[in-house]
Amino acid sequence: MVQAGVKPNTITYSALITACGRGGEWQRSWDLYREMLGKGLELDLIVCNSVILACGREGQWENAAGVFRRAVREGLKPNCVTFSALITAYGIGGEWQRAADVPQLMQEFGASDASAGRLACPL
């Protein structure tokens, strides 16, 4: 891509990260995410969700949780995809208690309707 004169941006990285994750290449998704950050490109929720999903499918819950924390620090608002991916990461990684805590996180970030006792996101 670079050899062809195309300068990668957040959208390019997002597509690559998603493709690698769907192909079972969580490590490549992780490496692309780190590379993107190293280049100072703007982080967006699509990239974060894609990395959390890729890591989560392989039980790499520590990495998935780290991406979640970074997204929040960067001012991104997690959505239903984010929380679902995080639950998956914890579940596959055998971290059932962390998975059980995610609905509380959802409430903290406004992704649940606490007054009605239900989640605003269909999981």
Side-chain angles (χ1 to χ4, degrees):
M1 188 166 47
V2 175
Q3 295 168 346
V6 176
K7 185 176 179 183
N9 59 21
T10 300
I11 296 169
T12 310
Y13 274 96
S14 179
L16 289 169
I17 289 167
T18 300
C20 290
R22 287 182 180 163
E25 297 289 330
W26 79 268
Q27 184 67 56
R28 185 69 180 131
S29 290
W30 178 255
D31 292 344
L32 286 165
Y33 165 74
R34 301 296 299 164
E35 181 180 307
M36 181 185 150
L37 293 176
K39 292 182 183 232
L41 293 173
E42 184 176 346
L43 196 58
D44 69 14
L45 195 58
I46 295 169
V47 168
C48 293
N49 288 348
S50 294
V51 176
I52 293 169
L53 281 165
C55 291
R57 287 183 185 123
E58 299 300 321
Q60 300 296 319
W61 66 269
E62 297 99 336
N63 290 348
V67 174
F68 176 82
R69 287 189 300 273
R70 175 80 184 246
V72 170
R73 273 196 320 270
E74 297 280 329
L76 300 175
K77 184 176 180 184
N79 62 18
C80 295
V81 173
T82 314
F83 292 114
S84 179
L86 197 55
I87 289 170
T88 297
Y90 289 145
I92 292 174
E95 294 292 319
W96 64 269
Q97 185 57 55
R98 292 177 194 269
D101 292 340
V102 172
Q104 176 63 37
L105 275 176
M106 293 176 75
Q107 186 174 344
E108 290 171 21
F109 286 97
S112 69
D113 183 355
S115 63
R118 68 174 185 267
L119 300 177
C121 297
L123 294 178

